[in-house]
Amino acid sequence: MSLQLKSLFFLLQLLALLISISSSDPNPQFPCQPPHFNSYPFCNTSLSITDRAQSLISLLTLEEKIHQLSNNASGIPRLGIPPYEWWSESLHGVSSNGPGVNFNGYVKAATSFPQVLVTAASFNRTLWFKVGLAIGIEAKAMYNVGQAGLTFWAPNINIFRDPRWGRGQETPGEDPMVVSAYAIQFVKGFQGGSWRGSGELIDRFERKRALGGYNDDESGDRLMNSACCKHFIAYDLEKWKNFSRYSFNAVVTKQDMEDTYEPPFRSCIQQGKASCLMCSYNAVNGVPACAQGDLLQKARNEWGFKGYITSDCDAVATVQEYQNYTRKADDAVALVLKAGMDINCGSYLVRHTRTTIEEGKLQDKDIDRALLNLFSVQLRLGLFDGDPRKGQFGELGPQNICTIEHKMLALEAARQGIVLLKNEKKFLPLNRNVVSSIAIIGPMANNISNMGGDYTGFPCDPKSFYEGLLGYVEKASYASGCSDVPCDSDAGFNDAILTAKKADFVVVVAGLDLSQETEDHDRASLLLPGKQMALVSSVAAASKRPIILVLTGGGPLDVSFAEGDRNIASILWVGYPGEAGGKALAEVIFGDFNPGGRLPMTWYPESFTKIAMNDMNMRANPFRGYPGRTYRFYTGNRVYGFGQGLSYTKFTYKLLSAPRTLSLSGSFTGTLTEKILHQRELDYIHVDELISCDSLSFYVHISVANVGDRDGSHVVMLFSRAPKIFEGTPEKQLIAFDRVHTSSYGSTETSIIVIPCDHLSIVDKHGKRILPLGEHLLTLGDLEHSVSIVT
């Protein structure tokens, strides 16, 4: 949200409330309302989406067209079309951040799931889909009672490139493959895709189609809601030193663009079928993201994007006002619309498009192109199908929000996302039968306001960590130690120490909240804020037994002091666990749930803050003392590594089957065949020189054995190390993951498909994907297996 829009936010919410459709209104507003407005061709559901959209565009005046280019699209009374607010938010639950959503009607709350980074730590695709679907159901239900739109600007699928980034918490982490997988599952669930055989909602849709309610050619394009992949592209800096997201120029190599920054967006579009793409504030290699015609058209023409492209809020204004890329407003308008952007969050296009046309810098056809994309999405959402209460999912309402099922899903997501980082002498889990008293200490220990992190709405039934523990012990006590998370004073330390001394066991909750990391605010340090480190150490030294340290927040923390402190027995990362986080933490501490989460990002030492945050290079460069970024390229020391996470039990692997050799013979294009004949040795093959990549796929069959005395789920992570045929080859890269549940002293078999062109390939300095020949090392925990790729 831009600085200008923040100042108008509450006014916009009030306006949205006044124009929203109230469920108690006996005559709700909707397009194509009989008897006067339902005879237009764009209301005819037997026509194609494209024909209906073009029909609507043909009826509009230029002024009416221009007023559709803002997130707060104007109504067209003469055609019976009410205003529409495009901007709603649903990052990890329906949120009040956008003016399209309000909690002032029948719906007072919505399920608050863990922040995305925590849910990502589960490494569970099925869970990700279910969370997206549950949020989508609640979003649609809120639309049906006039408290939300149908176009939501989530998920955030930027790479968590730098540990200081204030919005890293909103992302699925640092690995492009994991971020891609999350994007696919969340978008499919939220938009209502891939439901076949998975519940009554899809059955209702199928019955509707069988009765002739939808054109069969268009039914596959129907949307319950619209999800938006953001922020396109290379956006991961808010405010660091003299750099601001509004003017930052991200200098990105072709190599990094292809193998790090683009993959999540490509997957979100190609496999997730997202219907919205948001271009970011920053420039990329000198050109504002919303004016990057080559990238925006790449999404449509190469990746098959079918939807609308919105700017981030006021991102068109920043082209002129912050980045000074154009001298005049009309030049900025012409630039972004011709590049392929369709709508501006803000009023910039509404204010300046007519002048741009009058000066000949833009034509009506440029506006019509944008409107075709916008109206097509609205038509796919059923906005022009008549009374929404009689349409697809029209019966969804308040009874489908904050349901027992959704609250249990939020709890399950929090459980699966908690990561156990340290557990000396199996200190955890605690036996509730022998714990007579427990103390919980820290400024976040009894605070529910920041449990969800950024983009949180109004939770259904939030519980603090302290409240969660109350259900397990006869006596629980609490002391904040610090008055707030910044912890500038030690005035509360004595009270915390006395509280700790009186208890059998002590839990200290330390870490971050939104005062330390959020939109428009990056961190300067990776250490615990203020005097928190001193609080933890003081309480640990005074406690009867070693303490349990619980870490909150999204950004990595340098807690090396705690890792080496014998008075700190266990460390748990809970991030921003959402409304059910208090209960989930208590269940993990007392052993009702066996933790199995893994870190979706590297935890760097404080010394990493010497690295310039504006350096977008992923690969290490020893000649200039640059250690690289993320586990794939970083060569420095780590506090905790990507994928790290412990369990209360122990798992071992057995590789059941995998090939030793993969022959590419017969898979070449004619050009490559000639090259092989005239050149004895090749180091690699260009992926686009292979006829069929899918035919080269193979399975790795694995047995996961639980050799401990507790049932538990385990994340299987298969990595690959490619031959280092040039500088910049990844140290290793994740090629597959799966979460499997295995009973005590039992085993579970799982199969992982490896597609060499996708999983074993790397990217050269020209941004071309290549498949190295020779030995590829597959690693699974301590197991190693080599696969030789030969011609």
Side-chain angles (χ1 to χ4, degrees):
M1 193 188 306
S2 73
L3 298 174
Q4 295 96 324
L5 284 183
K6 279 181 178 178
S7 63
L8 295 173
F9 180 68
F10 291 108
L11 179 61
L12 287 172
Q13 277 201 311
L14 177 61
L15 179 62
L17 175 61
L18 291 174
I19 65 174
S20 67
I21 305 171
S22 170
S23 62
S24 61
D25 184 352
N27 298 299
Q29 297 181 38
F30 54 86
C32 301
Q33 187 168 3
H36 303 295
F37 300 110
N38 61 332
S39 59
Y40 294 109
F42 61 80
C43 299
N44 187 346
T45 59
S46 68
L47 299 177
S48 71
I49 295 292
T50 300
D51 287 345
R52 294 172 70 187
Q54 289 175 336
S55 170
L56 175 53
I57 294 168
S58 71
L59 298 174
L60 303 183
T61 66
L62 177 59
E63 196 65 24
E64 288 169 338
K65 291 178 180 180
I66 291 172
H67 278 80
Q68 298 300 306
L69 301 179
S70 166
N71 64 286
N72 185 20
S74 298
I76 309 169
R78 67 184 183 85
L79 298 179
I81 299 174
Y84 181 75
E85 177 56 68
W86 287 85
W87 177 11
S88 295
E89 299 281 359
S90 60
L91 183 68
H92 55 104
V94 180
S95 165
S96 54
N97 287 67
V101 172
N102 75 79
F103 288 93
N104 301 317
Y106 284 115
V107 178
K108 303 294 184 183
T111 309
S112 179
F113 292 89
Q115 183 57 283
V116 174
L117 193 67
V118 179
T119 302
S122 70
F123 285 85
N124 186 336
R125 287 181 173 87
T126 301
L127 177 69
W128 298 344
F129 175 82
K130 288 181 177 179
V131 168
L133 176 58
I135 296 172
I137 289 170
E138 296 198 356
K140 184 72 173 184
M142 289 187 69
Y143 166 76
N144 286 346
V145 295
Q147 290 182 242
L150 287 175
T151 46
F152 290 79
W153 293 348
N156 180 342
I157 56 170
N158 296 113
I159 296 295
F160 199 165
R161 174 187 62 92
D162 190 287
R164 292 162 286 188
W165 185 30
R167 300 185 73 178
Q169 56 174 293
E170 301 175 23
T171 76
E174 70 179 35
D175 182 77
M177 194 269 257
V178 175
V179 177
S180 297
Y182 179 89
I184 292 167
Q185 298 303 322
F186 179 89
V187 170
K188 281 184 175 180
F190 185 78
Q191 292 193 159
S194 297
W195 285 355
R196 198 170 300 278
S198 64
E200 62 175 321
L201 290 176
I202 189 63
D203 293 337
R204 289 203 299 269
F205 172 60
E206 291 299 326
R207 287 197 299 270
K208 178 84 172 179
R209 186 175 67 172
L211 294 171
Y214 298 120
N215 179 347
D216 199 56
D217 292 336
E218 300 289 340
S219 60
D221 288 336
R222 288 280 168 171
L223 300 168
M224 180 171 72
N225 309 287
S226 169
C228 195
C229 308
K230 67 181 186 184
H231 311 81
F232 194 59
I233 193 169
Y235 167 74
D236 48 25
L237 180 150
E238 301 300 305
K239 189 178 292 183
W240 181 77
K241 294 189 175 181
N242 294 325
F243 296 94
S244 162
R245 63 177 180 164
Y246 303 113
S247 57
F248 176 56
N249 176 34
V251 179
V252 181
T253 67
K254 292 180 179 179
Q255 190 175 34
D256 288 340
M257 185 66 80
E258 169 62 29
D259 80 349
T260 297
Y261 296 106
E262 282 188 1
F265 291 93
R266 183 167 58 240
S267 297
C268 196
I269 289 168
Q270 290 184 331
Q271 286 83 47
K273 306 297 182 184
S275 51
C276 169
L277 185 65
M278 176 185 285
C279 52
S280 52
Y281 291 115
N282 56 286
V284 181
N285 297 328
V287 181
C290 291
Q292 286 269 358
D294 56 341
L295 283 174
L296 299 185
Q297 293 311 313
K298 185 177 189 177
R300 288 199 185 279
N301 300 331
E302 293 185 28
W303 301 346
F305 175 59
K306 191 175 182 181
Y308 73 99
I309 298 175
T310 179
S311 75
D312 205 337
C313 294
D314 278 343
V316 180
T318 63
V319 171
Q320 181 212 359
E321 297 171 4
Y322 283 83
Q323 298 174 19
N324 300 311
Y325 192 76
T326 63
R327 288 191 307 107
K328 299 172 63 178
D330 51 352
D331 291 328
V333 169
L335 193 67
V336 297
L337 285 173
K338 287 185 175 181
M341 196 197 77
D342 300 312
I343 193 170
N344 169 224
C345 178
S347 61
Y348 203 79
L349 292 188
V350 171
R351 290 185 284 120
H352 299 293
T353 298
R354 177 172 280 280
T355 303
T356 307
I357 291 175
E358 289 172 350
E359 293 191 4
K361 297 176 181 178
L362 205 63
Q363 296 180 315
D364 281 14
K365 67 178 183 180
D366 298 309
I367 310 298
D368 292 351
R369 177 205 57 76
L371 293 180
L372 179 62
N373 294 326
L374 293 170
F375 289 140
S376 293
V377 169
Q378 288 185 324
L379 285 159
R380 292 168 64 192
L381 287 163
L383 283 172
F384 293 88
D385 290 353
D387 190 343
R389 296 168 300 186
K390 298 178 181 178
Q392 186 184 6
F393 315 123
E395 64 271 43
L396 293 177
Q399 73 278 6
N400 301 103
I401 300 171
C402 291
T403 62
I404 293 174
E405 292 80 9
H406 289 177
K407 289 190 284 187
M408 285 301 298
L409 183 61
L411 174 60
E412 184 63 21
R415 289 166 174 161
Q416 292 195 25
I418 291 176
V419 182
L420 178 63
L421 295 170
K422 178 183 179 181
N423 197 27
E424 292 294 318
K425 299 179 180 179
K426 297 184 178 180
F427 189 80
L428 290 178
L430 302 183
N431 184 341
R432 65 189 300 177
N433 296 321
V434 300
V435 179
S436 61
S437 64
I438 193 167
I440 183 164
I441 292 166
M444 283 285 288
N446 196 24
N447 184 337
I448 62 171
S449 61
N450 275 323
M451 293 289 280
D454 261 354
Y455 287 83
T456 297
F458 292 87
C460 308
D461 188 21
K463 293 288 189 297
S464 70
F465 299 121
Y466 172 64
E467 291 173 310
L469 290 172
L470 285 175
Y472 281 83
V473 292
E474 294 179 4
K475 183 181 179 182
S477 54
Y478 158 72
S480 66
C482 303
S483 60
D484 53 22
V485 169
C487 195
D488 295 325
S489 170
D490 59 5
F493 281 22
N494 286 339
D495 181 42
I497 290 169
L498 288 173
T499 302
K501 285 181 175 180
K502 295 176 183 178
D504 285 345
F505 293 88
V506 177
V507 176
V508 177
V509 180
L512 309 173
D513 70 356
L514 297 185
S515 70
Q516 305 298 303
E517 53 173 5
T518 188
E519 188 168 3
D520 242 349
H521 180 65
D522 295 319
R523 288 188 294 158
S525 171
L526 302 183
L527 299 175
L528 290 173
K531 299 180 184 294
Q532 282 194 37
M533 188 189 305
L535 173 66
V536 173
S537 297
S538 299
V539 170
S543 176
K544 297 173 186 176
R545 293 181 175 87
I547 68 167
I548 302 160
L549 176 60
V550 175
L551 298 173
T552 65
L557 291 161
D558 184 347
V559 289
S560 304
F561 79 97
E563 181 63 28
D565 190 339
R566 292 184 178 180
N567 292 322
I568 300 173
S570 302
I571 301 176
L572 290 159
W573 176 72
V574 298
Y576 296 106
E579 67 175 62
K583 182 173 175 58
L585 175 63
E587 289 182 349
V588 168
I589 287 176
F590 285 96
D592 283 351
F593 188 85
N594 188 353
R598 303 284 197 98
L599 290 180
M601 70 292 192
T602 302
W603 282 32
Y604 304 84
E606 172 68 3
S607 59
F608 191 86
T609 58
K610 297 176 183 177
I611 304 301
M613 193 173 174
N614 63 305
D615 192 328
M616 302 295 289
N617 288 288
M618 300 303 297
R619 288 158 168 81
N621 186 334
F623 298 106
R624 60 185 183 93
Y626 186 69
R629 297 178 181 276
T630 77
Y631 80 94
R632 294 190 303 145
F633 305 107
Y634 179 61
T635 56
N637 296 324
R638 297 163 174 80
V639 179
Y640 296 114
F642 171 86
Q644 195 158 339
L646 304 173
S647 171
Y648 294 154
T649 189
K650 183 179 180 182
F651 296 92
T652 61
Y653 300 119
K654 183 178 180 181
L655 192 62
L656 301 178
S657 67
R660 286 287 183 183
T661 304
L662 181 66
S663 175
L664 304 182
S665 178
S667 301
F668 308 134
T669 61
T671 304
L672 181 57
T673 302
E674 280 192 35
K675 188 186 297 184
I676 292 172
L677 290 173
H678 291 88
Q679 188 174 340
R680 291 188 176 181
E681 291 188 10
L682 289 176
D683 292 327
Y684 59 86
I685 303 293
H686 282 279
V687 166
D688 58 11
E689 293 180 314
L690 293 169
I691 296 172
S692 175
C693 288
D694 291 344
S695 65
L696 300 173
S697 302
F698 61 88
Y699 281 94
V700 177
H701 299 282
I702 302 162
S703 174
V704 182
N706 181 344
V707 295
D709 58 3
R710 287 180 176 271
D711 297 351
S713 60
H714 179 70
V715 176
V716 177
M717 306 181 83
L718 183 65
F719 292 90
S720 169
R721 286 192 175 95
K724 292 206 169 185
I725 59 175
F726 54 72
E727 290 184 9
T729 299
E731 299 296 312
K732 64 177 181 178
Q733 57 188 16
L734 183 67
I735 62 173
F737 64 89
D738 190 17
R739 187 169 180 130
V740 297
H741 187 83
T742 307
S743 301
S744 171
Y745 300 111
S747 63
T748 303
E749 293 185 6
T750 186
S751 296
I752 291 174
I753 188 169
V754 178
I755 305 172
C757 292
D758 295 337
H759 300 142
L760 303 183
S761 64
I762 58 178
V763 177
D764 67 17
K765 65 180 181 180
H766 304 293
K768 299 297 183 182
R769 192 160 287 277
I770 62 173
L771 184 61
L773 300 177
E775 185 177 294
H776 291 250
L777 194 64
L778 304 184
T779 62
L780 182 68
D782 295 330
L783 285 182
E784 293 184 347
H785 177 84
S786 65
V787 178
S788 292
I789 299 181
V790 299
T791 57

